Amino acid sequence: MSQENLESVLQESRTFPPPREFSARAHIAGMDQYRRMYERSINDPEGFWAEAAEELHWFKRWDRVKDDSEKPFFKWFVGGKTNIAYNCIDRHLDDATANKAAIVWEGEPGEERVWTYRDLHRQVSRFANVLKQLGIRKGDSVAIYLPMIPELAAAVLACARIGAVHSVIFAGFSAESIRDRVIDANSKLVITGDGGWRRGKTLPLKDVVDEAVQGCDCVKNVLVVQRDPGQDPFPHQWTEGRDHWYHELAESVDRLCPCEEMDAEDMLFLLYTSGSTGKPKGIIHTTGGYMVYTYLTAKYVFDLKPEDVYWCTADVGWVTGHSYLLYGPLQNGATVVMYEGAPNWPDNARFWSIVEKHRVSVFYTAPTAIRAFMKWGDEWPQKHDLSSLRLLGTVGEPINPEAWMWYHTLIGGERCPIVDTWWQTETGGIMLTPLPGATPTKPGSATLPFFGVVPAVLDAEGNDARAGYLAIKEPWPGIFRGIYGDPQRYKDTYWCRWNGAYYFPGDGARVDEDGYFWIVGRVDDVVNVSGHRIGTAELESIYVEHPAVAESAVIGVPHEIKGQGLVAFVLLRGSTSDGSDDLRKELNELVVKKIGKFALPEKIIFSADLPKTRSGKIMRRLLRDIATGQALGNVTTLADPSVIESLKEKYSG
Ligand code: WTA
């Protein structure tokens, strides 16, 4: 969060109680009810979570709700057997939900497809049988690299149905990023598509996958979903024997596929995310705890009712798309809107035209999108009838009060509560959030904990503080079960601070006199660019691969739309400090090749030197001060103070 945002948040004193009409119909109708349920969830977590789990289907009931005997390796619903796809689909087939829309999809060019729950059952069963035909069994890992088309939902749920571990890779990642993830997860199959649409252009996904799987011995097959069956496919290469068209295999498989009975602690998925080292981590989520947690958070935070039309704008490639586009709302039997493309295609009103057309009632998006809409102007939402909306949400980064107020006024018509939800890939589901019928909101605050969550703000020594590090005390069902293949890194990164007594999420926070939490941003070397986590160490290790580069330091700087942008300071080999535009281009190409376009920095500053301590450590804090034009902090430990002046000149020049 920028200094400016931080200051505006610090001065924020407006409070917005939930509208009376909203509370009257809400699952959680007021603060008394919230407090009562919260107390219960803390004093009797096993009773509380057992009751939540009982709302879902289990093939066999659990023996124990929670097992924390091997802390920090937690288990939930020990001994229980279930299947999350069953709870997303089959559970709804016996009642009126069966024939209601499960997924309402809109392609960027404007096509529309609607799958009822019954259709979803058929689609997922068929997809699951195709996976089986390709030799995929329970426990196998499957990489999914698809555009936002309904088959992406079918692929994910099909894996869950047969107990295969899905590893969804956001369709903006490069071939090398896919390869790293495929190898780390030992994926046997990659599911991709012949293309998808983004801002009027097609995404050449199959080409990227072809490059990615070269040299991946683990990959036996590539399954290709055609975006527009019955028409000519997008241009693509084909490797006989390895590549298979999904629609061809789907013709001949059985229409029914029973759900695999999964142990509550069987792995459900891996999702890779950036950390403070160069290597992305495979976050492990298992079946039972994640299932119950996403179910209950979706139910209460989005106050889901049978008649709701719910739209989460996140891509399934990120955790928000997993938990709150698919698993959470589908377990609740909601109608989910899924949109393939860009928010500003063909014009800046696209989101609002979707809201109007599908009568969206609950809308969940990211602050970066809200800020972009603010910049594009009020006329775009004003062209559309947004009266169907009753609840708004945000996620991914701190929302500045100005953006919150714009959202409240222009999109919410001052009648919709806003839920600012703080959580992470690691937490599985929402942790800090208002409950829309109960919690008075303050613009910029994620307010209070969800049931079962015990947050704190601590200083480095573990004392309670008004401002400091966010920490979580008790385990909750949705907590990740570790980093794939690296239990030590799991302990070191998340449990080492404060002697293992708290989970350390890596965020800074403040708590106010009402006990409300205000998230300030990351305190580790992770930068949140448009809500996407990018590890600065990942970029730094990419730059030093270039022969002209000796060293680099990447920092996050405030950005008007993206929240944070990246700035790279690059130290060249030899005595030169002048990088050419060609070199800048080459470095950018490297980042695109190794990660993807979304990780490009705003600026590259070439330099003959970097500010270092006498022991040779780069002082990133000073680089941040330079980039934000602030008075420099303590420079007494600097080996050569003259570096600073020349960097300042370069930065502004
Ligand atoms: C940030 C996304 C402030 C935070 C669900 C966290 C937020 C990181 C909020 C996780 C919020 C997410 N307010 N900051 N409401 N929500 N963050 O894993 O820094 O992609 O640690 O999960 O996003 O990002 P991730």
Side-chain angles (χ1 to χ4, degrees), residues 77 124 178 236 243 302 306 323 344 443 474 591 638:
F77 305 106
V124 171
I178 301 173
H236 62 277
D243 297 349
F302 301 115
S323 301
N344 53 351
E474 300 296 333
V591 170
L638 206 56

Side-chain angles (χ1 to χ4, degrees), residues 262-278:
M262 302 297 287
D263 189 275
E265 283 301 332
D266 277 337
M267 205 187 294
L268 173 65
F269 68 83
L270 286 173
L271 184 56
Y272 285 81
T273 188
S274 291
S276 43
T277 74

Side-chain angles (χ1 to χ4, degrees), residues 635-649:
V635 291
T636 51
T637 48
L638 206 56
D640 173 10
S642 71
V643 176
I644 293 289
E645 282 314 311
S646 85
L647 277 178
K648 264 180 156 171
E649 257 169 48

Side-chain angles (χ1 to χ4, degrees), residues 336-388:
V336 173
V337 174
M338 182 176 186
Y339 167 58
E340 175 185 34
N344 53 351
W345 189 268
D347 64 31
N348 294 339
R350 185 58 183 271
F351 271 18
W352 317 124
S353 87
I354 294 176
V355 168
E356 175 174 338
K357 183 161 157 204
H358 301 290
R359 305 296 296 157
V360 171
S361 58
V362 182
F363 179 69
Y364 191 35
T365 195
T368 184
I370 298 167
R371 287 190 298 263
F373 284 117
M374 266 174 90
K375 193 166 175 200
W376 295 333
D378 298 355
E379 65 270 28
W380 301 102
Q382 280 167 347
K383 279 188 191 154
H384 290 278
D385 174 8
L386 305 180
S387 62
S388 57

Side-chain angles (χ1 to χ4, degrees), residues 49-111:
W49 289 111
E51 258 167 45
E54 274 157 13
E55 295 179 23
L56 299 168
H57 176 84
W58 295 78
F59 300 112
K60 174 180 172 285
R61 201 185 150 88
W62 54 90
D63 305 318
R64 264 187 85 181
V65 176
K66 176 173 82 164
D67 178 355
D68 51 11
S69 58
E70 288 169 55
K71 200 176 172 185
F73 296 94
F74 302 100
K75 293 189 184 126
W76 285 86
F77 305 106
V78 181
K81 300 262 185 217
T82 186
N83 186 297
I84 193 169
Y86 188 100
N87 279 304
C88 286
I89 307 167
D90 305 50
R91 190 168 78 88
H92 306 303
L93 297 182
D94 294 335
D95 58 37
T97 314
N99 292 319
K100 94 182 233 195
I103 294 180
V104 175
W105 175 79
E106 196 168 306
E108 192 184 73
E111 328 86 306

Side-chain angles (χ1 to χ4, degrees), residues 181-233:
R181 286 158 175 74
V182 161
I183 292 175
D184 190 76
N186 198 25
S187 300
K188 275 185 156 175
L189 173 72
V190 181
I191 305 174
T192 188
D194 64 336
W197 292 96
R198 180 86 194 175
R199 215 163 272 124
K201 293 207 180 91
T202 53
L203 305 170
L205 301 179
K206 174 70 168 61
D207 295 349
V208 181
V209 167
D210 284 343
E211 192 190 331
V213 299
Q214 273 173 32
C216 289
D217 294 338
C218 52
V219 175
K220 306 296 173 222
N221 294 293
V222 173
L223 182 60
V224 189
V225 177
Q226 192 186 346
R227 189 186 174 288
D228 306 307
Q231 298 184 19
D232 287 341

Side-chain angles (χ1 to χ4, degrees), residues 2-3 555-558 621-631 651:
S2 72
Q3 192 59 29
I555 56 163
V557 295
R621 177 175 55 78
L622 290 183
L623 294 175
R624 268 181 231 122
D625 289 347
I626 291 170
T628 48
Q630 290 189 52
Y651 193 87

Side-chain angles (χ1 to χ4, degrees), residues 131 136-140 142 159-160 162-166 262 267-268:
L131 296 181
I136 300 302
R137 297 285 174 268
K138 179 178 173 184
D140 288 341
V142 173
C159 287
I162 64 169
V165 174
H166 57 75
M262 302 297 287
M267 205 187 294
L268 173 65

